[in-house]
Amino acid sequence: MSRGGSSAGFDRSITIFSPEGRLYQVEYAFKAINQSGLTSIGVRGKDSACVITQRKIPDKLVDEETVSHIYRVTKHSGCVMTGMIADSDMQVSRARYEAADYKYHYGYEMPPDMISKRLADIGQSYTQIAHMRPLGCCLIMIGWDEEKGAQLYSVDPAGFFCGFRACSAGTKQTESNNYLEKKIKKNSMMNETEVIQTAIAALSSVLAVDFKPSEIEIAVVSDKDPVFRKLTETEIDEQLNILSERD
């Protein structure tokens, strides 16, 4: 094997570090997230949190009602998945299993931070087992915690998870984070409407697109309605109208 800067030889096994201390297969998993061509954003305010993502129909023959990247995990928590669809479905199924098992054993709903931590632990184990591979997807989870209120977490293929005031994943992640940093710095205590408006504005700005209600998906939790729910196209249209009038 070469001892130079080349990745030759060191990207064939997930358990082998390169001389620079890199795990190339894990880095490739991060690149796989961008292959979907989607960008997803999560924003948390003082009493609510929301996630937003693009909605692209891959084929004219596909039933658009069956295409979604937002999933409910428990009654009060859910997530948006960005990356490889099959890997995303597998991770959501595991999240639901862990949440159901937790409720069966302890008698109450698994908090969003515990779900995220458990998925991160499982994802990290995939980076050190030779006969497995990291998942090519990123999870952004929102949920309502009875003690902590609205929560926002992100879990990446390397098994890292952390709570955020705002975060993003996908093709325009860097641009989205830069936009969100400026917005959150000005107003970190947003109400529900401001949270949704900020998420829509961020996605629209980084993609330079004026969305139609059918082109995006939004889910939200709040203190007024802690149940995780997706907004209907009518509700999304109302939010888009408010944003256009404000601008």
Side-chain angles (χ1 to χ4, degrees):
M1 294 185 184
S2 170
R3 289 291 176 180
S6 174
S7 66
F10 296 104
D11 61 353
R12 296 181 183 178
S13 174
I14 196 170
T15 58
I16 297 177
F17 282 96
S18 74
E20 295 83 22
R22 300 166 66 180
L23 287 171
Y24 286 104
Q25 287 294 328
V26 177
E27 294 182 19
Y28 296 159
F30 279 91
K31 291 182 180 180
I33 295 173
N34 298 330
Q35 296 304 311
S36 64
L38 301 177
T39 300
S40 303
I41 291 173
V43 181
R44 175 171 62 89
K46 63 179 180 180
D47 58 3
S48 59
C50 88
V51 287
I52 182 173
T53 189
Q54 297 168 262
R55 190 182 189 194
K56 291 183 178 180
I57 310 302
D59 194 295
K60 292 182 179 180
L61 299 177
V62 172
D63 180 2
E64 62 183 29
E65 294 298 323
T66 65
V67 178
S68 177
H69 300 284
I70 292 179
Y71 304 82
R72 174 180 293 203
V73 178
T74 68
K75 182 179 180 180
H76 298 100
S77 64
C79 62
V80 58
M81 302 298 303
T82 312
M84 300 174 69
I85 296 175
D87 286 9
S88 299
D89 288 342
M90 181 270 176
Q91 190 166 39
V92 170
S93 295
R94 185 58 185 264
R96 289 170 175 167
Y97 167 79
E98 295 292 338
D101 187 63
Y102 185 96
K103 187 171 184 178
Y104 175 77
H105 281 93
Y106 300 104
Y108 63 95
E109 198 171 283
M110 193 174 190
D113 61 324
M114 293 296 294
I115 299 175
S116 301
K117 184 179 186 303
R118 179 59 180 155
L119 292 178
D121 290 344
I122 295 170
Q124 197 280 331
S125 69
Y126 292 169
T127 69
Q128 54 184 344
I129 302 175
H131 65 272
M132 304 184 81
R133 67 165 176 81
L135 298 174
C137 58
C138 179
L139 174 148
I140 297 177
M141 172 166 283
I142 60 171
W144 184 264
D145 188 299
E146 292 183 359
E147 297 179 356
K148 301 177 182 177
Q151 299 291 292
L152 172 65
Y153 290 90
S154 178
V155 181
D156 66 27
F160 174 78
F161 95 102
C162 193
F164 288 90
R165 287 184 293 172
C167 62
S168 62
T171 309
K172 296 288 187 178
Q173 180 178 1
T174 303
E175 294 88 339
S176 299
N177 286 343
N178 290 338
Y179 181 95
L180 291 168
E181 284 177 6
K182 296 174 184 177
K183 288 293 182 180
I184 297 298
K185 188 175 181 180
K186 294 179 181 178
N187 182 15
S188 61
M189 300 297 288
M190 297 178 285
N191 58 36
E192 182 180 353
T193 301
E194 290 172 331
V195 164
I196 297 173
Q197 293 288 307
T198 300
I200 296 174
L203 191 62
S204 179
S205 176
V206 298
L207 296 174
V209 174
D210 291 326
F211 291 113
K212 298 177 182 177
S214 60
E215 294 176 341
I216 54 176
E217 292 182 285
I218 303 173
V220 63
V221 293
S222 66
D223 62 344
K224 292 184 292 184
D225 184 8
V227 175
F228 177 87
R229 70 182 187 92
K230 290 175 61 177
L231 300 188
T232 63
E233 287 195 11
T234 302
E235 290 175 310
I236 294 175
D237 190 37
E238 291 175 359
Q239 294 292 340
L240 291 173
N241 289 336
I242 293 172
L243 185 63
S244 62
E245 291 172 2
R246 190 184 70 183
D247 295 340

